[in-house]
Structures are given as structure tokens and as C-alpha cells.
Amino acid sequence: MQRYFISDQVPAGGQVTITGESARHIQRVMRAQVGDQLEVVTGDHRAYRSKIEALQPDGVNVHLADTALTSPELPNQVIIACSIAKKDKADWIVQKGTELGASGFIFFSSQYGVAKWEPARQAKKLTRLRKIALEAARQSHRNQIPTVDIMAGLTELTQVTKNFGIVAYEESAKQGETAALVATAQQLVGGQTLIAVFGPEGGLAPTEVEQLRQADFNVAGLGPRILRAETAPLYLLSALSTLWELLAPQNK
């Protein structure tokens, strides 16, 4: 069943008119008819099974069910902060990271990073990445469309509001560090925010890691293997899902 996002905060059992690109997709691509069902996510991140009541030239009128669907979201917000990567790796990170539950993505320039996004191209890049996040959120039946932002560097990144922060550092993994990720994950409760920082293909510079330490980011290893820049964020999200969702009933 197709899922569509609206910005309005509509109560359960209410009615709403879907407009814009979503309405065009419903009518022209899906060729929906009155009486067909779809899923609508409202502005307060609640999803409802809904029924089409009328098709208008510029919108689709739907009626929301009386009860919201079960939320598939991670119990805490996870923002993935990655150094700008080469080629289409950012596309991959946003698409797969959205499927795995990330609440946001930040891309930043770093000392060892080779790829650069010129200021003139950044607006177009953001538009593309945000569209990828939207489509991935629809496909994976998320209740939240992840945010996507570009920042100049670590100084700006460290000023983003968070409850906890970690930085994936391969030197920690080489030294056998295994406790920081689990310890940090277990401290988050009740929808708090974790920012996880990942370096480029060449890794983060020691001075950058120290800057993050000074900003209360915990340095963490991600197992004994060296992961590619586009693989490490997905490893982290999978591990957090295991700790917060799959193992949670056993820990209670």
C-alpha cells in the first residue's frame, strides 16, 4: 500500500485533501479510484490507513481511519553525520540510512576528504538528497522523512543540539575497543537524539577526533573490520536497531 506524507496535523478520523506531487502520483501513476485505500502520514508523524472519497483536478480527498498505525520508528533519533564522500555514495547513505531508521543526515567537509561540493552545486545536491530521503521513507513505510543538511565543517556540526554523540574511529577498532557504542546506546531513553560522526575514505584526522572529544563525542570502534565510508553508518544503524528493538524485550 502506497504511503504519502502531508504537513497538516489532522486528527484521527479526520478528512484531508492531498495536493501537489503526491496527488499527481495518486491519480496519474497509481490511477487510484474513489474507495481505494492508501496510507497517510500527518504532520505529527502519525500514519493512518485512509480511503479516497473524491478525486479533484488539483487534489485527492481522503478520510483517515479512527486509529493510527503502529509506528516503525526507532525509539531514539539518530542523526548520521558523514564527511562528503566521492561519487554517489551520499545517495546510497541517505537511501539505505532512511530505510534503517535514521532521523537525519548531515554532510560536512573534513581534512582528509577528497570530494568537494562547490557552494554553487549544494542547493541542487540537497534537493536531490531530500528527494531520495522522501522516496526511501515512502518505500520503507516510515512515519518520518529524515532531514538532510550540508555544513561547512566540524565546528558547525558540534553546535547541533544532541543528547549524546559518538564518532566512529578506526584506530579505536584496531585497538580492540568494543564498549563505547553499546554503552552510549544504552544511555539513550525516551526519544533522545544521538549524533554519529563518520569520516571520509581516508578517515578523520587525529585533530578532528580530538575536537569531537572536546565537544562531548565518545570515540567508538565498530568491530574488528575496517568498513567503507558508506558502509559504516549502515552498520551503526543496524547495531542500534538490534540493541533498541530486537534485544529490548530481553532486557526488560
Side-chain angles (χ1 to χ4, degrees):
M1 185 172 293
Q2 295 291 310
R3 177 166 289 206
Y4 300 92
F5 293 84
I6 62 173
S7 58
D8 299 329
Q9 295 191 20
V10 184
Q15 296 180 324
V16 66
T17 299
I18 300 174
T19 59
E21 182 59 35
S22 292
R24 288 190 288 272
H25 185 271
I26 292 169
Q27 297 193 62
R28 299 177 186 176
V29 178
M30 301 307 299
R31 298 186 181 278
Q33 302 296 321
V34 172
D36 287 354
Q37 292 191 336
L38 46 79
E39 293 177 358
V40 175
V41 180
T42 59
D44 56 355
H45 306 308
R46 296 179 185 273
Y48 297 90
R49 185 71 57 83
S50 307
K51 184 169 69 173
I52 297 175
E53 293 195 326
L55 299 173
Q56 308 291 345
D58 57 350
V60 178
N61 298 340
V62 300
H63 184 269
L64 275 57
D66 293 333
T67 304
L69 298 169
T70 301
S71 175
E73 297 299 319
L74 289 172
N76 297 292
Q77 301 287 298
V78 182
I79 298 175
I80 300 296
C82 295
S83 175
I84 294 173
K86 295 186 294 185
K87 298 182 180 179
D88 61 351
K89 291 181 180 180
D91 296 10
W92 173 269
I93 291 169
V94 170
Q95 182 186 63
K96 302 308 176 185
T98 298
E99 293 177 23
L100 290 169
S103 61
F105 301 90
I106 297 172
F107 294 93
F108 63 92
S109 299
S110 62
Q111 184 174 332
Y112 293 163
V114 176
K116 304 292 181 184
W117 292 345
E118 298 302 327
R121 295 180 52 222
Q122 288 185 8
K124 184 177 181 180
K125 190 70 174 180
L126 271 178
T127 298
R128 173 179 171 79
L129 292 174
R130 287 169 178 169
K131 183 176 181 180
I132 290 172
L134 170 61
E135 294 302 326
R138 285 176 174 168
Q139 181 274 321
S140 55
H141 281 220
R142 293 280 306 274
N143 282 15
Q144 178 179 358
I145 304 170
T147 58
V148 184
D149 295 290
I150 298 174
M151 295 185 176
L154 286 180
T155 299
E156 188 177 2
L157 174 62
T158 57
Q159 296 172 1
V160 177
T161 302
K162 68 181 187 306
N163 296 107
F164 296 92
I166 63 172
V167 50
Y169 191 41
E170 64 182 33
E171 294 303 320
S172 295
K174 290 177 182 178
Q175 295 166 14
E177 188 282 314
T178 59
L181 172 57
V182 175
T184 301
Q186 291 177 339
Q187 293 181 68
L188 276 86
V189 292
Q192 292 183 315
T193 299
L194 170 69
I195 299 181
V197 182
F198 301 86
E201 291 82 352
L204 291 168
T207 55
E208 293 176 316
V209 175
E210 183 56 32
Q211 181 181 358
L212 289 165
R213 285 183 193 269
Q214 294 297 322
D216 296 325
F217 283 78
N218 296 323
V219 177
L222 299 182
R225 292 163 294 280
I226 303 302
L227 304 175
R228 290 180 180 271
E230 70 272 25
T231 306
L234 309 185
Y235 175 101
L236 174 83
L237 289 165
S238 298
L240 292 175
S241 175
T242 300
L243 293 168
W244 289 340
E245 298 177 312
L246 303 184
L247 294 180
Q250 302 177 27
N251 295 333
K252 293 180 179 179

